[in-house]
Amino acid sequence: MNLSVAEKIIKQHLVAGDLTPGEEISLRIDQTLTQDSTGTMAYLQFEAIGVSRVRTELSVSYVDHNTLQVGFENADDHRFLQSIAARYGLHFSRPGNGICHQVHLERFGVPGKTLLGSDSHTPTGGGLGMLAIGAGGLDVALAMAGYPFHLVMPRIVLVRLTGKIAPWATGKDIVLELLRRVTVKGGVGKIFEYGGDGLAQLSVPERATITNMGAETGATTSVFPGDEVTRAFLRAQGRGDSFAPLVADEGAVYDEVIEIDLSQLVPLVARPHMPDRVCPVSELQGLRVDQVAIGSCTNSSYKDLATVAEILRGKTVYPGVSLIISPGSRQVLAMLARKGYLSDLIASGARILENTCGPCIGMGQAPPTGGVSLRTFNRNFEGRCGTKNASVYLASPEVAAATALTGVLTDPRTLGEPVKVALPRRYLINDRLIIPPLEPSRAEGAEIIRGPNIQPLPGREALPSELTGPVLIKLGHDVTTDHILPAGARITALRSNIPAISRYIFSQVDPTFYDRAKEAGGGFIVGGMNYGQGSSREHAALGPMYLGIKAVLALSFARIHRSNLINFGILPLVFLKGEDYDSIQADDRLTIRDVRAQALSEQPVLVVNETQGHRFIVNLTVQEREREVLLAGGLLNYVRETL
Ligand code: MIC
Ligand code: SF4
């Protein structure tokens, strides 16, 4: 059989199932990564599973999200994570070392390996030829404990890149073009695999921009082959021996093919408030901008920032613009300093931040009231930047730098010849901020340090025989996990404290939600299409579980959030008819009788709308194992019972 790159990696890691799209498979996981804002919960769950040391080839715990430390909470989390890493045999990337995805690409990624990360942008590793998948913390905890990862075998889509890339077009424009064509729902159940004669022009950091933001299509992941470009990158990272060639077989068959002619690409921009609202920069040329932010795991590589420095050199940021730059890693920052680019950035007036997620997750740098912010990030969901009525646009570092100089959205093609930055033959390598695992004999005695921000895990009972309660909220389409549980410094600091963070569930959509949910002792959530897209934060399921949410009824679900709901014992129910979604109202009282029996059968589930005196059916489309997880009241209960 002629296999694609994705199929080759899957086949090599298959524990159960086969390569038939739509069927459940399970995969052996070689590497895991966590970041601090999802990691604390993942490690509390890992502890609850009760193994004495991680059982992967490599597991890394990064600290990159919660680094503002406006109170004790973040620092408590960091100390907890460091002590967990020492106790259980993980690498620990210290605060300030960089964004997990960038550092993982630089220092740990290996073509052909599987990587599971508790962050939705884990597919960044696909730029290096890894099968890198984002998941909830509990799934990552199980992978660390040596259990395989379950997923539905995706359809493999070939994205064929052809032609010579147009001047000033970048990796960002390729993925924005993909988003324009397929939308934020178009990747669900798919892997985008890149191929074609255009590939060789794209460096690993550019490929990683593409696979990173592939997450915005809802795809399971995106992957590039491991070729000469990959080899050169790994050599420059002093890791040439991690390279093994990985290309699709001649005649590999794909479920779908998308062609992108690189010579026709133009600089693109995503408009507020969705990453798929894409149009050419030239169409919005002249839009006044208050803030330009360059960074995030999508576009903060050495190549990105050196290009920005080349554009800014000898010039000054426009007086009405605040230009913010957050490098992706300490290595990037060190390289910029060594090559003199850092002084170009400083002299231009850029405000240099720490090497973390920073403004991407609303940790500072909120734009002014009604302001316009142009960002090189991957998400522009409403309110995520910290200012509810701000408008966030997404574009390449080239567009961002050009705009920072003029104060209006600017097509970089107006700057003349494109800037070319040579990739280093050798990156500056300094792993002293990564603490390696302790020897097992020393690790066993390591103490785990918990501050008051680290609260015990809440649990849930097995599924009762009947579910009844009010519809607490009815929402539209494309609800993101930022709507369910907002980001920002204040709220994200509470990620290891479920009772405290649950107060913020839907706080920006309906501030009365928490009180109403508490008063009613729980109930139901109703959503439209693609419910729960975006982040992997399992708190968007844990919070609702804590508040007694029994089921979410939606027209469709995003992959990671759907798994998170099941992991915490919340039924993801899919409307069969649009009219049932249309007719249901907030406050309607719903009852699902004999829900255990109904959940076990493969028939649709009957829901009674007591308020309207009306019955309708919904689908519980789950795999066998997921049914049992739901009956047990969640994955941790299931694991305790069965394994
Ligand atoms: C994000 O980009 O939304 C985050 C913050 O990285 C999340 C994880 C989280 O909520 O902690 C993600 O993408 O998974
Ligand atoms: Fe961090 Fe933003 Fe990347 Fe999420 S998308 S990992 S918040 S930089």
Side-chain angles (χ1 to χ4, degrees):
M1 202 173 143
N2 301 327
L3 299 178
S4 61
V5 169
E7 286 170 325
K8 285 187 178 182
I9 310 180
I10 292 173
K11 194 164 170 232
Q12 271 177 13
H13 291 84
L14 212 51
V15 176
D18 58 36
L19 300 180
T20 317
E23 297 295 312
E24 191 176 56
I25 57 171
S26 63
L27 295 179
R28 181 167 47 77
I29 296 299
D30 301 319
Q31 302 189 348
T32 63
L33 70 78
T34 57
Q35 39 89 342
D36 50 322
S37 74
T38 55
T40 50
M41 209 32 73
Y43 295 109
L44 288 171
Q45 295 169 142
F46 179 77
E47 284 189 295
I49 299 168
V51 303
S52 61
R53 195 174 170 89
V54 290
R55 294 184 176 152
T56 47
E57 290 175 10
L58 172 104
S59 287
V60 192
S61 171
Y62 292 93
V63 177
D64 52 4
H65 280 62
N66 277 317
T67 56
L68 276 186
Q69 299 174 220
V70 291
F72 65 95
E73 293 88 348
N74 299 169
D76 275 16
D77 286 355
H78 303 170
R79 202 168 51 176
F80 169 70
L81 291 169
Q82 183 164 351
S83 67
I84 282 276
R87 171 66 189 80
Y88 292 112
L90 290 97
H91 289 264
F92 180 71
S93 174
R94 291 164 59 184
N97 193 44
I99 306 176
C100 55
H101 308 302
Q102 174 69 24
V103 178
H104 208 85
L105 203 67
E106 292 168 355
R107 307 307 308 143
F108 294 113
V110 175
K113 297 269 180 196
T114 51
L115 167 68
L116 195 72
S118 65
D119 189 281
S120 64
H121 290 104
T122 304
T124 313
L128 207 52
M130 303 191 85
L131 191 82
I133 303 178
L138 182 47
D139 286 321
V140 177
L142 278 167
M144 289 191 287
Y147 296 106
F149 175 63
H150 296 260
L151 75 162
V152 170
M153 176 66 200
R155 289 155 49 83
I156 319 282
V157 181
L158 173 66
V159 185
R160 188 182 288 135
L161 305 177
T162 59
K164 186 167 180 299
I165 192 158
W168 294 103
T170 64
K172 181 67 149 239
D173 302 302
I174 297 175
V175 70
L176 286 174
E177 171 63 14
L178 183 72
L179 270 153
R180 186 184 73 78
R181 295 201 204 168
V182 309
T183 81
V184 292
K185 314 182 215 354
V188 176
K190 299 179 182 170
I191 292 179
F192 290 113
E193 174 169 324
Y194 287 82
D197 61 14
L199 274 188
Q201 303 160 79
L202 298 174
S203 64
V204 167
E206 288 166 289
R207 295 175 178 191
T209 295
I210 297 171
T211 56
N212 171 288
M213 212 173 161
E216 271 49 69
T217 67
T220 304
T221 190
S222 304
V223 65
F224 275 81
D227 57 10
E228 283 311 307
V229 173
T230 326
R231 184 204 294 267
F233 176 82
L234 284 169
R235 272 201 189 135
Q237 289 287 352
R239 302 200 292 120
D241 39 353
S242 297
F243 177 76
L246 175 67
V247 292
D249 290 333
E250 193 79 36
V253 184
Y254 293 88
D255 295 300
E256 194 185 324
V257 179
I258 294 178
E259 299 254 358
I260 299 184
D261 178 353
L262 301 181
S263 68
Q264 298 303 312
L265 270 186
V266 297
L268 296 171
V269 59
R271 289 164 295 166
H273 298 288
M274 265 317 138
D276 61 0
R277 301 201 60 219
V278 174
C279 72
V281 170
S282 56
E283 268 180 31
L284 296 178
Q285 175 95 13
L287 173 84
R288 195 186 48 74
V289 170
D290 303 289
Q291 180 189 62
V292 174
I294 301 176
S296 93
C297 56
T298 323
N299 276 116
S300 58
S301 67
Y302 168 71
K303 179 164 194 291
D304 286 334
L305 301 190
T307 306
V308 168
E310 289 279 0
I311 297 173
L312 297 180
R313 178 176 302 136
K315 307 197 172 94
T316 305
V317 173
Y318 184 79
V321 169
S322 171
L323 171 64
I324 300 145
I325 298 181
S326 35
S329 68
R330 191 160 286 261
Q331 181 186 74
V332 170
L333 184 60
M335 291 288 304
L336 293 172
R338 170 72 64 92
K339 300 275 182 181
Y341 286 128
L342 186 58
S343 52
D344 295 326
L345 297 176
I346 294 171
S348 74
R351 302 167 66 184
I352 317 282
L353 303 184
E354 206 186 0
N355 322 310
T356 59
C357 300
C360 178
I361 195 210
M363 295 289 164
Q365 306 297 332
T369 304
V372 172
S373 177
L374 175 69
R375 300 178 161 209
T376 65
F377 308 169
N378 46 37
R379 292 187 172 143
N380 57 348
F381 303 148
E382 192 176 5
R384 180 172 159 108
C385 64
T387 304
K388 185 123 198 250
N389 59 10
S391 301
V392 176
Y393 294 75
L394 306 173
S396 67
E398 285 79 348
V399 175
T403 301
L405 292 174
T406 58
V408 290
L409 189 63
T410 299
D411 188 329
R413 290 177 299 178
T414 57
L415 299 180
E417 278 299 297
V419 167
K420 287 260 177 301
V421 171
L423 282 177
R425 291 177 63 86
R426 182 84 179 178
Y427 287 92
L428 285 171
I429 296 162
N430 168 359
D431 286 335
R432 289 195 297 272
L433 261 84
I434 301 175
I435 304 177
L438 283 182
E439 286 302 312
S441 57
R442 289 182 55 210
E444 266 158 35
E447 185 204 350
I448 295 172
I449 310 175
R450 290 167 226 270
N453 193 43
I454 319 258
Q455 290 296 316
L457 272 178
R460 166 161 262 191
E461 304 284 293
L463 187 68
S465 56
E466 179 172 300
L467 300 182
T468 183
V471 171
L472 290 165
I473 193 165
K474 179 175 176 185
L475 302 138
H477 303 311
D478 293 324
V479 167
T480 71
T481 44
D482 281 272
H483 291 110
I484 306 172
L485 177 72
R490 210 162 42 103
I491 305 179
T492 311
L494 303 172
R495 290 288 182 92
S496 10
N497 185 342
I498 300 302
I501 207 167
S502 298
R503 297 188 157 269
Y504 298 95
I505 295 293
F506 286 120
S507 57
Q508 287 189 8
V509 182
D510 176 356
T512 68
F513 183 86
Y514 173 80
D515 289 332
R516 288 188 299 105
K518 272 289 210 206
E519 202 184 303
F524 297 87
I525 293 171
V526 173
M529 305 261 275
N530 199 26
Y531 179 80
Q533 67 159 326
S535 153
S536 68
R537 61 189 73 146
E538 59 192 351
H539 303 73
L542 259 166
M545 174 198 89
Y546 181 77
L547 297 178
I549 300 305
K550 301 164 198 306
V552 179
L553 293 81
L555 287 165
S556 69
F557 288 90
R559 175 184 65 89
I560 304 179
H561 187 62
R562 178 186 163 284
S563 299
N564 285 338
L565 290 172
I566 295 172
N567 286 353
F568 296 105
I570 300 177
L571 272 58
L573 300 172
V574 180
F575 288 105
L576 289 176
K577 292 201 206 127
E579 355 26 307
D580 293 331
Y581 164 77
D582 293 338
S583 67
I584 204 164
Q585 300 295 330
D587 295 332
D588 282 358
R589 193 164 187 89
L590 307 183
T591 302
I592 308 179
R593 304 221 164 84
D594 284 330
V595 63
R596 289 185 67 86
Q598 293 212 58
L600 265 178
S601 86
E602 282 175 22
Q603 302 302 313
V605 172
L606 180 71
V607 184
V608 182
N609 186 330
E610 318 264 8
T611 311
Q612 298 190 19
H614 156 75
R615 307 163 157 241
F616 59 96
I617 50 175
V618 288
N619 261 342
L620 176 63
T621 348
V622 287
Q623 304 294 329
E624 212 33 56
R625 188 191 55 96
E626 294 175 325
R627 253 177 236 291
E628 290 179 20
V629 168
L630 285 169
L631 287 177
L635 187 54
L636 261 187
N637 294 356
Y638 171 79
V639 169
R640 285 203 196 100
E641 283 169 18
T642 57
L643 299 175

